[in-house]
Amino acid sequence: MKKSSKAKKEGSPRVGILMGSDSDWEVMSAAARRLTAFEVPHEIKVTSAHRSPAATAAWATSARKRGLQAVIVGAGAAAHLAGVVAAHTALPVIGVPLDATSLRGLDALLATVQMPSGVPVATVAIGGAENAALLAVQILALSDAALARKLDRFKADLEAQVEAKNARLQAHRQGA
Amino acid sequence: MKKSSKAKKEGSPRVGILMGSDSDWEVMSAAARRLTAFEVPHEIKVTSAHRSPAATAAWATSARKRGLQAVIVGAGAAAHLAGVVAAHTALPVIGVPLDATSLRGLDALLATVQMPSGVPVATVAIGGAENAALLAVQILALSDAALARKLDRFKADLEAQVEAKNARLQAHRQGA
Amino acid sequence: MKKSSKAKKEGSPRVGILMGSDSDWEVMSAAARRLTAFEVPHEIKVTSAHRSPAATAAWATSARKRGLQAVIVGAGAAAHLAGVVAAHTALPVIGVPLDATSLRGLDALLATVQMPSGVPVATVAIGGAENAALLAVQILALSDAALARKLDRFKADLEAQVEAKNARLQAHRQGA
Amino acid sequence: MKKSSKAKKEGSPRVGILMGSDSDWEVMSAAARRLTAFEVPHEIKVTSAHRSPAATAAWATSARKRGLQAVIVGAGAAAHLAGVVAAHTALPVIGVPLDATSLRGLDALLATVQMPSGVPVATVAIGGAENAALLAVQILALSDAALARKLDRFKADLEAQVEAKNARLQAHRQGA
Amino acid sequence: MKKSSKAKKEGSPRVGILMGSDSDWEVMSAAARRLTAFEVPHEIKVTSAHRSPAATAAWATSARKRGLQAVIVGAGAAAHLAGVVAAHTALPVIGVPLDATSLRGLDALLATVQMPSGVPVATVAIGGAENAALLAVQILALSDAALARKLDRFKADLEAQVEAKNARLQAHRQGA
Amino acid sequence: MKKSSKAKKEGSPRVGILMGSDSDWEVMSAAARRLTAFEVPHEIKVTSAHRSPAATAAWATSARKRGLQAVIVGAGAAAHLAGVVAAHTALPVIGVPLDATSLRGLDALLATVQMPSGVPVATVAIGGAENAALLAVQILALSDAALARKLDRFKADLEAQVEAKNARLQAHRQGA
Amino acid sequence: MKKSSKAKKEGSPRVGILMGSDSDWEVMSAAARRLTAFEVPHEIKVTSAHRSPAATAAWATSARKRGLQAVIVGAGAAAHLAGVVAAHTALPVIGVPLDATSLRGLDALLATVQMPSGVPVATVAIGGAENAALLAVQILALSDAALARKLDRFKADLEAQVEAKNARLQAHRQGA
Amino acid sequence: MKKSSKAKKEGSPRVGILMGSDSDWEVMSAAARRLTAFEVPHEIKVTSAHRSPAATAAWATSARKRGLQAVIVGAGAAAHLAGVVAAHTALPVIGVPLDATSLRGLDALLATVQMPSGVPVATVAIGGAENAALLAVQILALSDAALARKLDRFKADLEAQVEAKNARLQAHRQGA
């Protein structure tokens, strides 16, 4: 309890980012960057559903107590990590299927999203680490008005960026 | 603001369940039943990304103000409804791809999960309406201790049911 | 009304080319080049079904009034843009699925073509921007005899080009 | 010439519906019904790209002269019929991939939509005969104001039907 | 040690058959029947990677000590059970992907077979429970000469059955 | 030699039809019926690449000497039979992938058609037993003028049947 | 008739190699090289099912009269060329699906192999031009004893090459 | 018998590694390296199901007598080699589907794993040569206590490596 309330303080991680290998960091770092941009404290961890199952189970089981409110999990191939984490925690688990084999992430997508009744994984696009972070932010913003305002600004910025891209293309064509 | 705080009261819907046709109700009703079991007030609505786009946009745009905290969207074929709703709200949007064409839901899965950066949809399994509801419950439980306790009980029950199924199978074999 | 008749004048755009990002221009410019070769005035626009939904809806809703007769839409991933445009206009909407993810355009193809009854999208091949333009030309040529003649010449040229390629290959083999 | 102007008269077919076998009629009749509802005169024909290629080529080559303005083609398996028709006419050709083999229409979809540059086929969903007819109506409506008004009514009706379905579901739930 | 040597006695299970639900028994019973035909003692258990992870881990961790020499695991959808078992034991784990969703077992196949380096799962065909048992028998037969002889007889029988089927078909044709 | 010339006599089989199980006869009988209609003597045999490999190899190795000129092979699942036959004979081998698993023949198609360089299998559609027979007839007709004439008649009949189907559909519509 | 007998003379083409574009020559030249190695005279031609349908139909219709005994057709995307040729000739038509789009030849494979009853295409692997030539050689060898002997030598060589590769690998390992 | 007991001596191969071409060595060498690391004597051989079927059958038939206890088979495309080997031996056969065509190993996976009842192939991931070796080690370790201990160490090392990767990533982030 005490730990949990402490964890909600500035700086204590509110989101965990898990991945099966440090080679996944190239893609998963986009989630960390997006959380940092929203000033959401987070922790990262390399752990494996198959190679370090006990460590994974322990981490997931204690995630809520340690103050985490959402877990983002990147995994490729027969991507079991998100499902295994979801088996050990009632926190929302967000799965990022990674393009890590010759099947280009179709294997990871199906292994992440097709979870049986009772244990959901919130799956985003293949390689969609940034969207996983945004989903976590949307979840946290439900009880964090400051974050909700940032999210509204982010959505407005998205719209402005489209208009900017449009302007750039029009300019490019005029010049051509 | 007033509306929002009112919406959080007992009875005001906290989760919206959307679907493109009343024929989707056969699958999507599992989400409603699961929310009811968790005593989470919810509303349902038939609306279409393509046939009633203005009504859909209006509903999604006002969802947060009306006190909703998560939206569950079931759609089949070129399933755009979840993405379109996510375009109009910063609430977490949970997509349920439906098996509605000869491609058996693969079309709906890809059309739901492969969202571009900036606008995530939390996708569950094809036909996974119950898991969509559980994901919504997990999200709401982050700031609702009573719901969190129910969720813990639900997870414990899941485990007990597996053991019961095991016992049943053992008994069946002894008898055989 | 007045605007519509004005739009049909020489120079006013008759076809709109939409895309979700300026990075799509590399593929979609083939549509513009083909329309230019047929001297069909057209406009281009970057807009997004998910990031700028209001601008997209406004553009699509007013497309017919502004004199457009067909809309070409390029989109990748969970490609909703063509469907969203089709939801807001009764003009023929031509969808170009783009190869923008590790699934190589299969996601965009299914998300574009599998539209539900009532709201069709005329889908061409993955990356088929030139064919989208030709389809628009075929549509416009129904009430534009000059364009119809150009189209007949184009088809004759296609045939001649095949014969030229054949001649080249025969020459290459003789030389070898 | 004379024939062409005559063909445009009331009653002369403006749209052709082609299919490879009379067994395709079960699906393709939806196109005919939709055209009839819009009072668009049309002809139907069973012809095959592979079994009656000369008849198919002759029909397609003369389609424009006979006053047709669009051709709807339903075909399953290695669905070549739409492409073969498009090879012989500059009219817009709308392809309806049919679910006719164990691959559930994926074969027909790819064989219809993946046309090479120069010869487009406007492809709709697997089994999407009604949408093929709507696309033909959208094309014809560009130069037929009465048809354009019917199309606007149709789109408004679509929206109303969604609201009716919603009302029905709400009523069903109240009753339950 | 003592337990292990005891387990090898007549009657102690040498193979474990696991499945996520008692509804999987319809398919997985073929594995039990085949093992029974080879007089290989075995145990069955319903356990879930996601709903009863602790029980699954405990079962897998102790499998070798309890005298098991191979584990057969049937699972459908995002089939994680075989991989999770393989994470907790160095025994050979044989995965049977089940056809349990609209994707017809393709999801379970990829989720079972595409295991990352270090933790293999010996995967058989979708629904291939009998072959899973045969694979277990092949493994056990390496150090069990009696079983090896039965296996040789089984292979000879297979060949004879093909000849019998051939004879039946020839007779059927003569009669026709 | 003597055997070979004898085999070419009226009545000696010129085409072999192989299948892995008598349950495949339901589909493969269409090949036999088509050959019978063309009065092409043929033999049928149940044999398996995996269960009776020696018998299969012996049959294939002697096929040419026994006077066969083409072999038709139906197989489902990991369909190896056509490839294994092709490994043992220089006769043209025609593969018919069968829809025998939950993957609906996609597995059999890829396992039949994707043969490595050096050992081709002439693959027809999933379940395409009749076309396999026609392909065999086309091959035999190259040196059999009577058969070539029958084939020409068959092609003419195909065309006539399409016209008959068309007439039937027109009549049906007039009546409706 | 006269033409046909003349065509069988040394030097007159016995096999035709067709392709839709000269860019396909890179893959299809393997068929020509293999035929040349077997001293089978052949002709090549660039022609298109969609861009030059009349020339394609004329070529196919006259193929048998000109002395051809088999036709090899390479095509990518919505690969209709083999089917269209088969519609116009009773000669065996061998289809080579080409990897020409982002779908990596899956589209061409399905569009080539899934032919409807009555008009077979003997399909080889994606990009399998060499095997297409071997299949043609197998067909021609049925009535050409010299060619049959060469084919036997080729098969023996294949076997020897495998042994040579094995020797090379063993040597490489000894050296390592 | 004598040969068999001799084969179990130090140095006699206990595992065979087969592949269809020496070009497969690049992937399959990972299996050899892993076996070497476990000090499991093994032999390698290039042999083909289609090009050298007799040699393959002979090798497989004698495998057990020569003292082998498991066979690892790498094959791509229409990967029949593992199935053909399994047809000729009762030893456990482990199949490694290779990514050797434009279909990226999906063809090889289905052709390897979808074996019919009676003749299993223990299939690992596409390109999973190392896991194939580990599976062989797991099988051998059942009756080889020293190997079992090495396997336990290997599993512990896997776990330690994950922790090391995690430490590296944490350090990298601190430095950044």
Side-chain angles (χ1 to χ4, degrees):
Chain A
M1 270 301 194
K2 219 174 108 191
K3 204 170 182 180
S4 173
S5 60
K6 190 180 110 188
K8 275 173 193 160
K9 279 190 220 159
E10 201 80 1
S12 285
R14 297 177 69 189
V15 176
I17 302 177
L18 257 58
M19 66 209 86
S21 172
D22 53 348
S23 63
D24 298 333
W25 180 242
E26 196 181 325
V27 172
M28 294 309 294
S29 57
R33 279 197 303 276
R34 178 52 60 205
L35 290 176
T36 300
F38 274 101
E39 297 174 275
V40 173
H42 52 279
E43 62 177 73
I44 61 164
K45 188 174 175 66
V46 177
T47 191
S48 163
H50 303 120
R51 296 170 187 149
S52 56
T56 300
W59 188 94
T61 303
S62 67
R64 192 164 52 166
K65 281 190 197 145
R66 287 181 291 114
L68 295 186
Q69 293 174 292
V71 184
I72 293 169
V73 182
H80 298 188
L81 189 54
V84 164
V85 169
H88 288 92
T89 182
L91 291 178
V93 174
I94 302 166
V96 185
L98 299 179
D99 168 11
T101 73
S102 67
L103 298 184
R104 307 299 310 273
L106 183 65
D107 43 6
L109 171 57
L110 298 183
T112 303
V113 79
Q114 289 287 80
M115 290 290 289
S117 271
V119 190
V121 167
T123 307
V124 295
I126 298 170
E130 187 185 5
N131 268 2
L134 283 168
L135 195 51
V137 169
Q138 290 177 330
I139 290 169
L140 269 56
L142 289 173
S143 56
D144 182 335
L147 201 54
R149 278 190 298 274
K150 284 185 205 167
L151 205 49
D152 289 341
R153 264 199 306 270
F154 175 80
K155 269 187 109 67
D157 281 356
L158 274 184
E159 204 163 345
Q161 283 163 28
V162 173
E163 191 39 52
K165 284 179 181 178
N166 182 43
R168 215 174 330 151
L169 182 55
Q170 306 295 351
H172 167 75
R173 293 200 76 205
Q174 307 266 320
Chain B
M1 269 302 192
K2 219 175 109 194
K3 203 171 183 179
S4 173
S5 60
K6 190 180 113 188
K8 275 172 192 158
K9 278 191 223 158
E10 202 81 0
S12 286
R14 297 177 69 190
V15 175
I17 303 178
L18 258 58
M19 65 209 88
S21 172
D22 53 348
S23 64
D24 298 334
W25 180 242
E26 194 181 328
V27 172
M28 296 307 295
S29 56
R33 278 196 304 274
R34 179 51 61 204
L35 290 176
T36 299
F38 273 101
E39 297 174 278
V40 173
H42 53 278
E43 62 176 73
I44 62 164
K45 188 175 174 64
V46 177
T47 191
S48 163
H50 302 120
R51 295 169 187 150
S52 56
T56 300
W59 188 94
T61 304
S62 67
R64 191 163 54 167
K65 280 192 197 143
R66 287 181 289 113
L68 295 186
Q69 294 174 290
V71 184
I72 293 170
V73 183
H80 297 188
L81 188 55
V84 164
V85 168
H88 287 93
T89 180
L91 290 179
V93 175
I94 301 167
V96 185
L98 299 180
D99 168 11
T101 73
S102 68
L103 298 183
R104 307 300 312 273
L106 183 65
D107 43 6
L109 171 57
L110 299 183
T112 302
V113 78
Q114 289 288 80
M115 290 291 289
S117 271
V119 189
V121 167
T123 306
V124 295
I126 298 170
E130 186 185 6
N131 268 2
L134 283 169
L135 195 50
V137 169
Q138 290 177 330
I139 290 169
L140 269 57
L142 290 173
S143 57
D144 181 336
L147 201 53
R149 277 190 300 273
K150 285 185 204 164
L151 204 49
D152 288 341
R153 264 198 307 270
F154 175 80
K155 268 185 110 66
D157 281 356
L158 274 184
E159 206 164 344
Q161 283 163 27
V162 172
E163 191 39 51
K165 283 178 181 178
N166 183 43
R168 212 173 334 149
L169 182 55
Q170 306 296 350
H172 166 77
R173 293 200 76 206
Q174 305 265 323
Chain C
M1 271 298 195
K2 220 174 106 190
K3 205 171 184 180
S4 173
S5 59
K6 192 180 112 187
K8 274 172 194 160
K9 281 189 221 161
E10 202 80 359
S12 285
R14 297 177 68 189
V15 176
I17 303 178
L18 256 58
M19 65 209 87
S21 171
D22 53 349
S23 64
D24 298 333
W25 180 241
E26 195 181 324
V27 173
M28 295 308 295
S29 56
R33 279 197 304 274
R34 179 52 61 204
L35 290 175
T36 299
F38 274 101
E39 298 173 275
V40 173
H42 53 279
E43 62 177 72
I44 61 164
K45 187 173 174 66
V46 176
T47 191
S48 163
H50 303 119
R51 296 168 187 150
S52 55
T56 299
W59 188 95
T61 303
S62 67
R64 191 164 52 166
K65 281 192 197 145
R66 287 182 290 115
L68 295 186
Q69 292 174 292
V71 184
I72 294 169
V73 182
H80 298 189
L81 188 55
V84 165
V85 168
H88 288 92
T89 181
L91 291 178
V93 174
I94 301 166
V96 185
L98 299 179
D99 168 10
T101 73
S102 67
L103 298 183
R104 307 300 310 272
L106 182 65
D107 43 6
L109 171 57
L110 298 183
T112 302
V113 79
Q114 289 288 80
M115 290 291 288
S117 270
V119 189
V121 167
T123 306
V124 295
I126 299 170
E130 187 185 6
N131 269 2
L134 283 168
L135 195 51
V137 169
Q138 290 177 331
I139 290 169
L140 269 56
L142 289 174
S143 56
D144 181 335
L147 201 54
R149 278 190 299 273
K150 285 185 204 167
L151 205 49
D152 288 341
R153 264 197 308 270
F154 175 80
K155 268 187 109 68
D157 281 356
L158 274 184
E159 204 164 346
Q161 283 163 28
V162 172
E163 191 38 51
K165 284 178 180 179
N166 183 42
R168 212 171 334 147
L169 181 56
Q170 306 295 350
H172 167 76
R173 292 201 76 206
Q174 306 265 322
Chain D
M1 270 300 194
K2 221 174 107 190
K3 203 171 183 178
S4 172
S5 60
K6 191 179 111 187
K8 274 172 194 160
K9 278 190 224 159
E10 203 80 2
S12 286
R14 299 177 67 188
V15 176
I17 302 177
L18 257 59
M19 66 209 88
S21 171
D22 53 349
S23 63
D24 298 334
W25 181 243
E26 195 181 326
V27 172
M28 295 308 295
S29 57
R33 278 196 305 274
R34 178 53 61 205
L35 290 176
T36 299
F38 274 100
E39 297 173 277
V40 173
H42 53 278
E43 63 177 72
I44 62 165
K45 188 174 173 64
V46 176
T47 191
S48 163
H50 302 119
R51 297 168 187 152
S52 55
T56 299
W59 188 94
T61 304
S62 67
R64 191 164 51 168
K65 280 192 198 145
R66 288 181 288 115
L68 295 187
Q69 293 174 293
V71 184
I72 293 169
V73 183
H80 297 189
L81 188 56
V84 164
V85 168
H88 288 93
T89 181
L91 291 178
V93 174
I94 301 166
V96 185
L98 299 180
D99 168 10
T101 73
S102 68
L103 298 183
R104 306 300 312 271
L106 182 65
D107 43 7
L109 171 58
L110 298 182
T112 302
V113 79
Q114 289 287 80
M115 291 289 289
S117 270
V119 189
V121 167
T123 306
V124 294
I126 298 170
E130 185 184 7
N131 268 2
L134 283 169
L135 195 51
V137 169
Q138 290 177 330
I139 290 169
L140 268 57
L142 290 173
S143 56
D144 182 335
L147 201 54
R149 277 190 299 272
K150 285 185 205 166
L151 205 49
D152 288 341
R153 263 197 308 269
F154 175 80
K155 268 186 110 65
D157 281 356
L158 275 185
E159 205 163 345
Q161 283 163 28
V162 172
E163 192 38 52
K165 284 178 180 179
N166 183 42
R168 209 167 342 146
L169 182 55
Q170 306 296 351
H172 166 77
R173 292 200 77 206
Q174 306 264 323
Chain E
M1 269 302 192
K2 222 174 106 192
K3 202 170 184 179
S4 172
S5 60
K6 191 181 111 187
K8 275 172 194 160
K9 279 190 222 158
E10 203 78 3
S12 286
R14 298 177 69 189
V15 176
I17 303 177
L18 257 59
M19 66 209 87
S21 172
D22 53 349
S23 63
D24 298 334
W25 181 243
E26 194 181 326
V27 173
M28 295 308 294
S29 57
R33 279 196 303 276
R34 179 52 60 205
L35 290 176
T36 299
F38 274 100
E39 297 173 277
V40 173
H42 53 278
E43 62 176 73
I44 61 165
K45 188 174 174 65
V46 177
T47 190
S48 162
H50 302 120
R51 295 169 187 151
S52 56
T56 299
W59 188 94
T61 303
S62 67
R64 190 163 54 167
K65 280 191 198 145
R66 288 181 289 114
L68 295 187
Q69 292 175 293
V71 184
I72 294 169
V73 183
H80 297 188
L81 189 55
V84 164
V85 168
H88 288 93
T89 181
L91 291 178
V93 175
I94 301 166
V96 185
L98 299 179
D99 168 11
T101 73
S102 68
L103 298 183
R104 307 299 312 271
L106 183 65
D107 42 8
L109 171 57
L110 298 182
T112 302
V113 79
Q114 289 288 79
M115 290 291 289
S117 270
V119 188
V121 167
T123 306
V124 295
I126 298 170
E130 186 184 8
N131 269 2
L134 284 169
L135 195 51
V137 169
Q138 290 177 331
I139 290 169
L140 268 57
L142 290 173
S143 57
D144 182 336
L147 200 53
R149 278 190 299 273
K150 285 185 205 165
L151 205 50
D152 289 341
R153 264 198 307 270
F154 175 80
K155 269 187 108 65
D157 281 355
L158 275 184
E159 204 163 346
Q161 284 163 27
V162 172
E163 191 38 52
K165 284 178 181 180
N166 182 42
R168 212 170 336 148
L169 181 56
Q170 306 296 350
H172 166 75
R173 292 199 76 207
Q174 306 264 325
Chain F
M1 269 301 193
K2 222 175 104 191
K3 201 171 184 178
S4 172
S5 59
K6 191 180 111 188
K8 274 172 195 160
K9 279 191 224 159
E10 202 79 1
S12 286
R14 298 177 68 189
V15 175
I17 303 178
L18 257 58
M19 66 209 87
S21 172
D22 53 349
S23 64
D24 298 334
W25 180 242
E26 194 181 326
V27 173
M28 296 307 295
S29 56
R33 278 196 304 274
R34 179 52 61 205
L35 290 176
T36 299
F38 273 101
E39 298 173 277
V40 173
H42 52 279
E43 62 177 73
I44 61 164
K45 188 174 174 64
V46 177
T47 191
S48 163
H50 302 120
R51 296 170 186 147
S52 55
T56 299
W59 188 94
T61 304
S62 67
R64 190 164 52 168
K65 281 193 197 143
R66 288 181 289 115
L68 295 186
Q69 293 174 293
V71 184
I72 293 170
V73 183
H80 297 188
L81 188 56
V84 164
V85 168
H88 288 93
T89 181
L91 291 178
V93 175
I94 301 166
V96 185
L98 299 180
D99 168 12
T101 73
S102 67
L103 298 183
R104 308 297 312 272
L106 182 65
D107 43 7
L109 171 57
L110 298 182
T112 302
V113 79
Q114 289 287 79
M115 290 291 288
S117 271
V119 189
V121 167
T123 307
V124 295
I126 298 170
E130 186 185 7
N131 269 3
L134 283 168
L135 194 51
V137 169
Q138 290 177 330
I139 290 169
L140 269 56
L142 290 174
S143 56
D144 182 334
L147 201 53
R149 278 190 299 272
K150 286 185 205 165
L151 205 49
D152 288 341
R153 263 198 307 270
F154 175 80
K155 269 186 109 67
D157 281 356
L158 274 184
E159 207 164 343
Q161 283 163 28
V162 172
E163 192 38 52
K165 284 177 181 181
N166 183 42
R168 211 168 339 145
L169 181 55
Q170 306 296 351
H172 166 77
R173 291 200 78 207
Q174 307 266 323
Chain G
M1 270 300 194
K2 222 174 105 190
K3 203 170 183 179
S4 173
S5 61
K6 191 180 111 187
K8 274 172 193 160
K9 278 190 222 159
E10 202 81 1
S12 287
R14 298 177 67 189
V15 176
I17 303 177
L18 256 59
M19 66 209 87
S21 171
D22 53 348
S23 63
D24 298 334
W25 180 242
E26 195 181 325
V27 172
M28 295 308 295
S29 56
R33 279 196 303 276
R34 179 51 63 204
L35 290 175
T36 300
F38 274 101
E39 297 174 274
V40 173
H42 53 278
E43 63 177 73
I44 62 165
K45 187 173 174 66
V46 177
T47 191
S48 164
H50 303 120
R51 296 170 187 149
S52 56
T56 299
W59 187 94
T61 304
S62 67
R64 191 164 52 166
K65 280 191 198 146
R66 286 181 290 115
L68 294 186
Q69 295 175 291
V71 184
I72 293 169
V73 183
H80 298 188
L81 188 55
V84 164
V85 169
H88 288 93
T89 181
L91 290 178
V93 175
I94 301 166
V96 185
L98 299 179
D99 169 11
T101 73
S102 68
L103 298 184
R104 308 299 311 272
L106 182 65
D107 43 8
L109 171 57
L110 298 182
T112 302
V113 79
Q114 289 288 80
M115 291 291 289
S117 270
V119 189
V121 167
T123 307
V124 295
I126 298 170
E130 186 184 6
N131 268 2
L134 283 168
L135 194 52
V137 169
Q138 290 177 330
I139 290 169
L140 269 56
L142 290 173
S143 57
D144 181 335
L147 200 54
R149 278 190 299 274
K150 284 185 205 165
L151 204 50
D152 288 342
R153 262 196 311 269
F154 175 81
K155 268 187 110 66
D157 280 356
L158 274 184
E159 203 163 348
Q161 283 163 28
V162 172
E163 191 40 50
K165 284 178 180 179
N166 182 42
R168 214 172 332 149
L169 181 56
Q170 306 295 350
H172 166 77
R173 292 201 76 206
Q174 307 266 321
Chain H
M1 270 299 194
K2 220 174 107 192
K3 205 171 182 180
S4 172
S5 59
K6 189 180 113 188
K8 275 173 192 159
K9 280 190 221 160
E10 203 80 0
S12 286
R14 298 177 67 188
V15 176
I17 302 178
L18 257 58
M19 66 209 87
S21 172
D22 53 348
S23 64
D24 298 333
W25 181 241
E26 195 182 327
V27 172
M28 295 308 295
S29 57
R33 279 196 304 275
R34 178 52 61 203
L35 291 175
T36 299
F38 274 101
E39 297 173 275
V40 173
H42 53 279
E43 62 177 74
I44 62 164
K45 188 172 175 65
V46 177
T47 192
S48 163
H50 303 120
R51 295 169 189 150
S52 56
T56 300
W59 188 94
T61 303
S62 66
R64 191 164 52 167
K65 280 191 197 145
R66 287 181 289 112
L68 294 187
Q69 294 174 291
V71 184
I72 293 170
V73 183
H80 298 188
L81 188 55
V84 164
V85 168
H88 288 92
T89 181
L91 290 178
V93 174
I94 301 167
V96 185
L98 299 179
D99 168 10
T101 73
S102 67
L103 297 184
R104 307 300 310 273
L106 183 65
D107 43 6
L109 171 58
L110 298 183
T112 302
V113 79
Q114 289 288 80
M115 290 291 288
S117 270
V119 190
V121 167
T123 306
V124 295
I126 299 171
E130 187 185 6
N131 268 2
L134 283 169
L135 195 51
V137 169
Q138 290 177 331
I139 291 168
L140 270 56
L142 290 173
S143 56
D144 182 335
L147 201 53
R149 278 190 299 273
K150 285 185 205 168
L151 205 48
D152 289 341
R153 263 196 309 268
F154 175 80
K155 269 187 109 68
D157 281 356
L158 274 184
E159 203 164 345
Q161 283 163 29
V162 172
E163 190 39 50
K165 284 177 181 180
N166 182 42
R168 213 172 333 149
L169 181 55
Q170 306 295 350
H172 166 77
R173 293 201 75 206
Q174 307 264 321

